[in-house]
Amino acid sequence: MSISAADFLLSKELAIVDTWDDWWRVSPQDREKYFFMAGVSDVYILDEYRKAAASICTAERTENEARRYLRDKLRAISYQAEEGKANTMEDLFSRERMSFELGLWRSLAWGWYHWQEGMRKVNLAMSPAYKLKAWQKELSPEWQARWKESAQAVEWQGVVKNENVFVALKTSPIWTCLSILGLPYSPFDADSHSDMMTREVEADECIKLGLITEEEVRAILHSTTNY
């Protein structure tokens, strides 16, 4: 039985990370274990932000209500931003920082949930690939270039070899390569959590694209593991 997006967030260990560069020093296999906020070392604050993001996933709170919850918690410990940093991204009380963190972690939690559901063998056989897309618009030139660079970095492993088709097998290393967090699911970038996503691509289309064969689809269904 799978766990929910909220439970996934709440199960993460709290990590002290000074900068995003420090995050890249964490081994790829460990990145999924941790909840962090760059520059935040207070575990109480990390935990409250984690709880607030999880409460959005369960629909217990809206994002506005989650921000009010965080303001109450920060007032309770007399939090104050460092001198000269009030109302900036370094101010944990600011709307900008709250919206960034809540949006990022909510999106990552749902990205993980849909990814692990999509990797179940029945779903993997029915829809073996993902297409990278943006919400209600075409991929920007920046993301098209990023896709090409990532495909080249993984030597087009499991990727459609057409620069105008942004489709790859769910098991392709391109998804991890695309992600600023080094994770194989959306949102792929800290600043893109509102619009970058994936769409499942059905087996028939994957076969036509040359990504997989009918025999390989049948092999997935007859595998002994669920993932």
Side-chain angles (χ1 to χ4, degrees):
M1 182 177 179
S2 62
I3 67 172
S4 69
D7 286 339
F8 171 68
L9 268 185
L10 294 173
S11 71
K12 285 179 173 289
E13 298 176 34
L14 302 177
I16 310 303
V17 176
D18 288 334
T19 67
W20 281 92
D21 287 339
D22 292 331
W23 179 249
W24 281 109
R25 298 188 182 97
V26 177
S27 62
Q29 61 267 31
D30 286 338
R31 287 177 190 150
E32 200 170 79
K33 297 179 183 178
Y34 300 114
F35 180 96
F36 79 98
M37 293 165 54
V40 179
S41 59
D42 188 315
V43 294
Y44 172 85
I45 293 175
L46 287 171
D47 188 40
E48 292 302 338
Y49 262 86
R50 181 178 59 174
K51 289 176 184 176
S55 72
I56 297 174
C57 291
T58 62
E60 177 187 350
R61 296 185 181 93
T62 64
E63 187 169 320
N64 282 336
E65 290 169 338
R67 283 195 295 266
R68 286 198 293 271
Y69 168 86
L70 286 172
R71 291 189 184 103
D72 288 342
K73 295 298 181 180
L74 292 173
R75 288 190 186 100
I77 60 171
S78 302
Y79 168 83
Q80 287 188 324
E82 294 181 22
E83 186 175 353
K85 295 181 179 179
N87 299 314
T88 70
M89 279 293 286
E90 295 183 65
D91 178 4
L92 303 180
F93 200 87
S94 71
R95 181 185 180 93
E96 183 180 13
R97 182 64 181 269
M98 286 185 181
S99 295
F100 172 83
E101 299 292 353
L102 293 173
L104 174 62
W105 288 103
R106 176 199 65 215
S107 296
L108 281 169
W110 280 115
W112 169 85
Y113 178 80
H114 291 300
W115 171 79
Q116 59 96 27
E117 287 293 315
M119 293 298 285
R120 293 184 179 278
K121 68 178 183 181
V122 172
N123 294 332
L124 190 60
M126 291 178 61
S127 303
Y130 284 129
K131 177 179 180 179
L132 181 68
K133 64 188 298 290
W135 176 251
Q136 294 184 338
K137 61 183 178 182
E138 298 295 322
L139 285 187
S140 67
E142 176 187 355
W143 274 97
Q144 292 182 38
R146 188 162 163 178
W147 176 269
K148 181 180 178 181
E149 290 168 5
S150 297
Q152 291 172 339
V154 302
E155 299 179 336
W156 296 85
Q157 183 181 338
V159 183
V160 173
K161 294 179 180 178
N162 182 328
E163 294 179 9
N164 298 313
V165 178
F166 309 101
V167 175
L169 292 175
K170 292 176 179 178
T171 54
S172 170
I174 193 173
W175 302 112
T176 299
C177 191
L178 272 173
S179 172
I180 193 172
L181 290 171
L183 300 171
Y185 43 81
S186 62
F188 303 117
D189 196 293
D191 294 327
S192 68
H193 54 75
S194 62
D195 61 4
M196 297 309 301
M197 61 190 69
T198 55
R199 176 182 67 79
E200 290 191 312
V201 181
E202 294 183 355
D204 287 348
E205 186 175 351
C206 291
I207 291 169
K208 291 177 183 177
L209 289 169
L211 282 175
I212 199 168
T213 65
E214 292 183 12
E215 290 74 19
E216 287 170 328
V217 172
R218 286 195 290 270
I220 294 171
L221 284 172
H222 290 95
S223 66
T224 57
T225 59
N226 195 36
Y227 290 91

